[in-house]
């Protein structure tokens, strides 16, 4: 028995066949469409699924999607996303029209935390938090064994907590001093600019524009200014953000994923060392994401494997349908 899972990212669209033990057995990816109508993304998803599914046709028991947000979870569609010029796109409805299967659509971090809860570091625990440090900053939480969804499926937006309301740094969403606005891969250059100015270091706009997160972390490892100062500040910002999430959700287990975390475990260690300064709740167990780059793919399959009860109510689905047709 297998599940098809889909990770709709800002840049890439990934599709996998996942076993009922949470193992990815087949995968494919392509760029996420960035133009077209509100069905362009779903059309591409369907095309990818049809390619990858051929070997597993009769053994696939469901389809799970983890997507960038924000979501309208009742309709299973993405509303007004800042991360794709299409902005609004349908997922649940066109997929249901195409595939005769139980299908669920949740936010990518909600999927990832459910994957940890069902198959990963969260097994045996009731309170699990997943944080991604990547192009954006996001989170998903399981509290008392319950996947937090919220009224529209956006209960996870910890990236937009305000860490400094006086900060001159604006987030992609427009807000001031947001965790994501200062610490995400897409916004890191803003922190570099601010710290450089504060430490009297000259960095041109051209250098800033070409700067990748790896350059910043490598500069830090080599002890070079302004990157040492930037990364030390970033470790405090991330600690403040993560501690705030821990103080809100009180997890036993926290896993941290996303490219910034997965590529820089030494930085994550530095960040964890700063947590004490901000924590009021007892320190949880913290590790890197169990399924690494596949956190969302595995998590979306976990959503189908063991659907959260309230999600079943929200996205009513015929759970007795088991044949795969398109
Ligand atoms: Zn924001």
């Amino acid at each position: 028995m297998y599940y098809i899972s889909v990770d709709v990212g800002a840049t890439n669209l990934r599709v996998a066949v996942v076993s009922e033990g949470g193992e990815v057995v087949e995968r494919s990816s392509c760029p996420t469409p960035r133009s077209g109508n509100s069905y362009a993304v779903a059309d591409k998803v369907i095309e990818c699924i049809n390619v990858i599914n051929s070997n597993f046709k009769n053994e696939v028991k469901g389809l799970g999607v983890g997507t960038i947000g924000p979501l309208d979870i009742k309709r299973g569609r993405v509303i007004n996303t800042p991360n794709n010029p299409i902005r609004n796109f349908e997922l649940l409805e066109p997929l249901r029209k195409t595939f005769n299967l139980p299908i669920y659509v949740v936010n990518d971090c909600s999927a990832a935390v459910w994957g940890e809860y069902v198959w990963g570091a969260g097994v045996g625990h009731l309170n699990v938090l997943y944080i991604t440090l990547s192009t954006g900053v996001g989170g998903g939480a399981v509290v008392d064994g319950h996947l937090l969804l919220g009224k529209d499926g956006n209960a996870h937006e910890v990236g937009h907590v305000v860490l400094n309301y006086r900060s001159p740094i604006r987030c992609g969403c427009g807000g001031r001093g947001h965790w994501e606005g200062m610490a995400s891969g897409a916004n890191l250059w803003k922190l570099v600019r601010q710290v450089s100015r504060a430490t009297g270091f000259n960095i041109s706009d051209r250098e800033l524009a070409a700067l990748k997160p790896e350059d910043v972390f490598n500069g830090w490892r080599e002890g070079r200014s302004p990157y040492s100062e930037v990364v030390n500040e970033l470790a405090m910002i991330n600690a403040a953000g993560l501690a705030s999430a821990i103080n809100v959700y009180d997890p036993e287990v926290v896993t941290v994923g996303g490219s910034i975390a997965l590529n820089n475990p030494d930085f994550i260690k530095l960040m964890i060392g700063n947590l004490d300064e901000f924590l009021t709740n007892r320190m949880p167990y913290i590790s890197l994401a169990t399924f690494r780059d596949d956190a969302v793919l595995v998590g979306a399959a976990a959503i189908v494997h063991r659907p959260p009860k309230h999600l079943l109510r929200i996205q009513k689905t015929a759970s007795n349908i088991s044949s795969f047709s398109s």
Side-chain angles (χ1 to χ4, degrees):
M1 186 156 108
Y2 297 96
Y3 309 108
I4 297 272
S5 66
V6 183
D7 173 3
V8 179
T11 319
N12 288 310
L13 204 164
R14 304 169 69 212
V15 175
V17 176
V18 178
S19 76
E20 56 186 330
E23 193 191 343
V24 174
V25 295
E26 185 110 39
R27 64 174 75 236
S28 157
S29 88
C30 64
T32 306
R34 296 181 70 80
S35 62
N37 65 20
S38 63
Y39 288 89
V41 176
D43 287 347
K44 197 74 192 172
V45 169
I46 291 164
E47 191 186 310
C48 277
I49 290 175
N50 283 334
V51 171
I52 200 173
N53 180 50
S54 54
N55 296 330
F56 298 90
K57 225 172 180 91
N58 297 316
E59 295 172 85
V60 169
K61 300 300 178 200
L63 171 55
V65 181
T67 177
I68 51 171
L71 273 185
D72 166 357
I73 198 159
K74 289 189 189 94
R75 302 277 299 268
R77 62 182 172 183
V78 173
I79 296 291
N80 213 12
T81 180
N83 298 312
N84 188 314
I86 299 178
R87 308 231 13 131
N88 299 288
F89 51 90
E90 302 290 335
L91 288 166
L92 190 58
E93 179 233 314
L95 289 171
R96 284 227 173 114
K97 276 190 178 149
T98 309
F99 302 111
N100 233 343
L101 284 170
I103 301 177
Y104 305 98
V105 174
V106 296
N107 171 269
D108 44 14
C109 288
S110 303
V113 75
W114 197 248
E116 294 285 8
Y117 177 69
V118 172
W119 286 318
V123 170
H125 300 280
L126 289 175
N127 301 284
V128 186
L129 175 66
Y130 172 87
I131 296 289
T132 179
L133 303 175
S134 186
T135 315
V137 173
V142 173
V143 178
D144 302 330
H146 188 81
L147 178 66
L148 295 189
L149 291 174
K151 66 186 185 309
D152 295 316
N154 301 319
H156 52 83
E157 291 286 2
V158 294
H160 302 281
V161 294
V162 181
L163 295 183
N164 178 4
Y165 75 92
R166 289 184 199 274
S167 171
I169 296 182
R170 294 264 182 192
C171 183
C173 75
R176 192 186 282 280
H178 288 186
W179 182 6
E180 173 170 307
M182 298 186 278
S184 74
N187 291 316
L188 189 52
W189 65 272
K190 298 174 188 170
L191 186 69
V192 174
R193 186 174 61 184
Q194 190 198 31
V195 172
S196 302
R197 283 178 184 166
T199 51
F201 197 90
N202 243 336
I203 185 159
S204 70
D205 284 351
R206 224 177 57 192
E207 275 176 277
L208 270 180
L211 201 63
K212 297 189 189 80
E214 303 94 270
D215 305 329
V216 176
F217 288 106
N218 287 335
W220 163 64
R221 284 186 192 102
E222 291 157 11
R224 278 192 286 125
S225 285
Y227 303 118
S228 311
E229 292 84 349
V230 169
V231 172
N232 286 331
E233 178 69 5
L234 184 65
M236 288 302 270
I237 290 168
N238 278 325
L242 179 55
S244 301
I246 292 169
N247 289 340
V248 171
Y249 298 120
D250 200 12
E252 288 139 322
V253 172
V254 177
T255 66
V256 188
S259 55
I260 287 186
L262 297 175
N263 296 337
N264 304 286
D266 47 352
F267 167 70
I268 296 304
K269 224 178 203 174
L270 179 69
M271 171 191 82
I272 292 172
N274 294 335
L275 277 176
D276 257 349
E277 196 143 336
F278 307 104
L279 273 184
T280 51
N281 283 347
R282 188 160 55 84
M283 178 76 94
Y285 168 80
I286 305 175
S287 71
L288 289 179
T290 310
F291 304 107
R292 306 205 46 103
D293 291 331
D294 292 335
V296 177
L297 280 177
V298 172
I303 292 276
V304 198
H305 178 71
R306 196 193 299 169
K309 281 198 183 83
H310 54 308
L311 181 66
L312 282 173
R313 277 198 301 275
I314 294 168
Q315 294 181 351
K316 288 188 189 73
T317 183
S319 56
N320 57 344
I321 299 173
S322 59
S323 68
F324 197 102
S325 59
S326 68

